[in-house]
Amino acid sequence: MENKYEVLDPNGLKNPVLVLGGGHDTLNNLPYNQQLTNGALGRVVEGLRLFRASNSKTLIFSGPSLAEHHPTQAEIQAYMLSEICELSSDAILKLNTPTTTEEEAISYAQALGSISPILVTKAIHMHRAVLTFNSQGIQVIPAPCNFIVKNSKQPWFLWLVPAFSQAPYLGELLKESFGLLFLMIRIKANPKPILSKV
C-alpha cells in the first residue's frame, strides 16, 4: 500500500504545499514540537522540506483544536516552525476546522479552489487521501512521508515471520483498507469530475 507513490522531488513546482493533520496532545506545559504526534511531526518536516525545495509560495497546515482554549493542530504546526526557522507569516495558511481527510479537501477547495496542492501525508494513507481529494474535484501531487516499510527488498519469506515491533501498524493497515473500501463505494455512488489546475 505504501509503494504506490514515491518520495516527491519538488524541483520546479510552484503548487501550494498542504500538510494534512496527524494528531496532537493538549498539554500546554509541553513545547509545540512535543505536542505533535510523531506522525504529525514527520509531516511538518516533510512539508517544510518540500516548501523550501520547490518554488511554492504557500505552506498550508490543517487540523482542529481538541480542547477549549487550546490551539488548533494547524496553529501548533505553524507555531512549531516559527520556533525553529524563519518563515513569513504570509506564506502560511491554516485550515483550523477540518477533522477528516474529506473535510480537509473541502476546506482546501474553499480556500484555494481547484489548484492542485502538493499533498503531504503518511505513505500508508496517501492512496485514500488522493482518492478523497479527487472525489472533491481536486487533483493532487502526492508527497508521501513517514514510511512504515523502509526495506521492501527483503526476501518475501521474512514477511511471514511475526514481528512484535510491527504489531502497532496492523491497526493502520486495517484502518486504511476499510477506509479505502468505503470510499470506493461512495465514489461510485456519487462520481465528481476532476477540475484541478496543476
Side-chain angles (χ1 to χ4, degrees):
M1 193 175 280
E2 289 189 321
N3 61 5
K4 189 168 182 65
Y5 304 99
E6 295 183 358
V7 172
L8 180 67
D9 176 2
N11 186 37
L13 293 176
K14 298 179 180 179
N15 307 62
V17 177
L18 171 58
V19 178
L20 297 188
H24 69 280
D25 292 314
T26 57
L27 301 172
N28 288 319
N29 61 318
L30 295 177
Y32 293 120
N33 64 303
Q34 292 183 40
Q35 289 183 41
L36 295 172
T37 64
N38 288 338
L41 192 58
R43 295 181 196 198
V44 172
V45 171
E46 181 64 2
L48 179 62
R49 180 189 78 82
L50 294 166
F51 180 75
R52 289 231 161 124
S54 69
N55 296 321
S56 178
K57 301 284 188 265
T58 310
L59 179 57
I60 308 161
F61 296 116
S62 177
S65 174
L66 298 180
E68 193 174 356
H69 307 303
H70 192 267
T72 66
Q73 170 151 352
E75 291 170 333
I76 292 170
Q77 293 169 319
Y79 295 155
M80 188 212 84
L81 276 191
S82 71
E83 291 181 340
I84 62 171
C85 66
E86 286 189 23
L87 275 180
S88 166
S89 58
D90 294 338
I92 295 179
L93 175 63
K94 297 181 282 286
L95 307 177
N96 291 312
T97 58
T99 60
T100 66
T101 307
E102 183 174 18
E103 289 177 6
E104 287 173 314
I106 293 168
S107 186
Y108 173 86
Q110 290 170 344
L112 290 175
S114 61
I115 298 171
S116 296
I118 298 171
L119 186 67
V120 180
T121 190
K122 60 187 173 185
I124 197 169
H125 176 57
M126 183 57 77
H127 185 49
R128 183 159 65 98
V130 168
L131 292 178
T132 300
F133 273 73
N134 287 351
S135 74
Q136 296 299 319
I138 304 167
Q139 184 178 355
V140 303
I141 301 168
C145 64
N146 298 351
F147 287 83
I148 296 169
V149 178
K150 294 185 170 64
N151 179 18
S152 59
K153 299 200 179 346
Q154 67 180 4
W156 66 269
F157 55 84
L158 290 181
W159 292 100
L160 302 176
V161 180
F164 289 111
S165 62
Q166 301 299 324
Y169 303 121
L170 179 59
E172 295 231 22
L173 180 61
L174 291 174
K175 174 186 170 187
E176 291 303 323
S177 298
F178 282 110
L180 201 52
L181 175 64
F182 289 124
L183 178 62
M184 299 287 275
I185 292 169
R186 287 182 57 201
I187 289 173
K188 286 189 177 181
N190 187 21
K192 197 170 187 179
I194 300 176
L195 305 171
S196 295
K197 295 176 281 185
V198 177

